[in-house]
Amino acid sequence: MDESGTASLTTIDSRAPVFGLGFLVCDSDRYVNEIVPAVTRLKIATFGHDAVILHAAEMRNQTGDFAVLLNAQKRESFFDALNAIILAAPFDLIAVVIRKREHAQRYGSRATDPYELALEFGLERLKPCMEELNQTSIVLVAESRNMTENAALLAGFDRLMSQGSYYQSFGHLKIDLRFAPKSANSVGHQLADICISPITKFADTRARTLPFEIAMKKILNRSGWQNGLKIFP
């Protein structure tokens, strides 16, 4: 689970007035045996080692480790391979985007924190997937921010688990929420970031870029409210 943008409603940047949260949903065995090795091979082929943390913004700006992508041939080869990995990888994506200005205008002082709200919408869509597989337990790994924000998210998560949302109850599920720093170099976080970033941008600008089109092919394919894409309001 990885985010795009900031969740603050106090200060809303006019250049990025949206907050996105991406859930990469996959079988743990296939994650270990298929997804992680494919991304690791790409990192080594491109950068010479696997310690690079793939991050959408840095990849676009070609800064830091991604300065090697200033070479047009290397850049084309890297993104072609990355896109192929994402399309072939055995995962579904739940993408939730909160349009913060509209959210704040509609609900005022009652507006729920965008991260907590995105988590709620995401769990509502994750629950039917678990039920379909007769699965009652899952590990959900969020990217760690700071102690205050982590504590606030955990408190919101605990409320959802005990009280449910307006539409769903979660008490019978065992969802283990963990926090991992970016430095953990989680492939799941990196793919979630790469996918949620262009979807979040689309919710603000309606820009249909190639990364957006590829990310949309990974969206959890369900009908109605169970569909993996939620843009609110």
Side-chain angles (χ1 to χ4, degrees):
M1 188 171 75
D2 200 69
E3 76 272 9
S4 177
T6 63
S8 174
L9 291 175
T10 304
T11 303
I12 301 178
D13 188 343
S14 60
R15 296 168 298 178
V18 287
F19 173 80
L21 189 63
F23 298 71
L24 189 144
V25 184
C26 64
D27 175 80
S28 58
D29 286 338
R30 299 195 72 182
Y31 174 76
V32 170
N33 294 318
E34 298 178 42
I35 297 175
V36 173
V39 174
T40 300
R41 285 192 293 268
L42 174 61
K43 288 182 179 183
I44 292 174
T46 306
F47 308 103
H49 60 88
D50 66 348
V52 174
I53 297 174
L54 302 181
H55 187 250
E58 292 179 60
M59 286 160 52
R60 285 194 305 271
N61 297 329
Q62 296 162 21
T63 57
D65 288 311
F66 302 99
V68 300
L69 302 181
L70 289 168
N71 179 289
Q73 185 175 358
K74 194 116 180 176
R75 181 171 65 250
E76 182 178 357
S77 176
F78 171 77
F79 282 110
D80 283 349
L82 178 61
N83 292 339
I85 288 171
I86 291 172
L87 289 172
F91 73 82
D92 291 312
L93 179 71
I94 296 173
V96 181
V97 183
I98 308 299
R99 299 162 68 206
K100 295 192 296 181
R101 279 187 304 223
E102 292 84 348
H103 178 48
Q105 289 167 358
R106 178 177 296 185
Y107 296 98
S109 61
R110 298 182 294 111
T112 303
D113 174 81
Y115 202 130
E116 289 186 33
L117 186 58
L119 178 65
E120 177 180 327
F121 289 148
L123 290 178
E124 287 178 341
R125 285 149 182 79
L126 182 61
K127 178 186 174 182
C129 294
M130 296 177 65
E131 292 175 337
E132 185 178 293
L133 296 170
N134 293 317
Q135 186 170 346
T136 57
S137 63
I138 195 171
V139 177
L140 187 61
V141 184
E143 185 172 274
S144 181
R145 294 177 291 167
N146 60 52
M147 291 182 63
T148 300
E149 290 176 318
N150 288 353
L153 180 62
L154 183 58
F157 171 78
D158 287 342
R159 282 194 298 272
L160 281 171
M161 290 298 99
S162 61
Q163 302 173 18
S165 68
Y166 185 81
Y167 296 103
Q168 296 287 331
S169 62
F170 306 103
H172 65 294
L173 300 177
K174 295 179 181 178
I175 302 179
D176 184 7
L177 178 63
R178 301 289 184 92
F179 294 91
K182 186 178 291 291
S183 59
N185 202 355
S186 164
V187 168
H189 280 166
Q190 291 164 62
L191 292 179
D193 171 74
I194 290 166
C195 289
I196 191 61
S197 180
I199 293 176
T200 302
K201 188 71 173 177
F202 168 81
D204 179 34
T205 65
R206 297 296 167 180
R208 289 182 169 271
T209 60
L210 178 59
F212 168 77
E213 298 293 351
I214 289 172
M216 286 299 296
K217 292 181 184 296
K218 306 303 296 185
I219 289 291
L220 181 68
N221 186 17
R222 297 288 191 276
S223 61
W225 65 267
Q226 295 184 21
N227 186 263
L229 178 64
K230 173 73 173 179
I231 298 176
F232 180 88

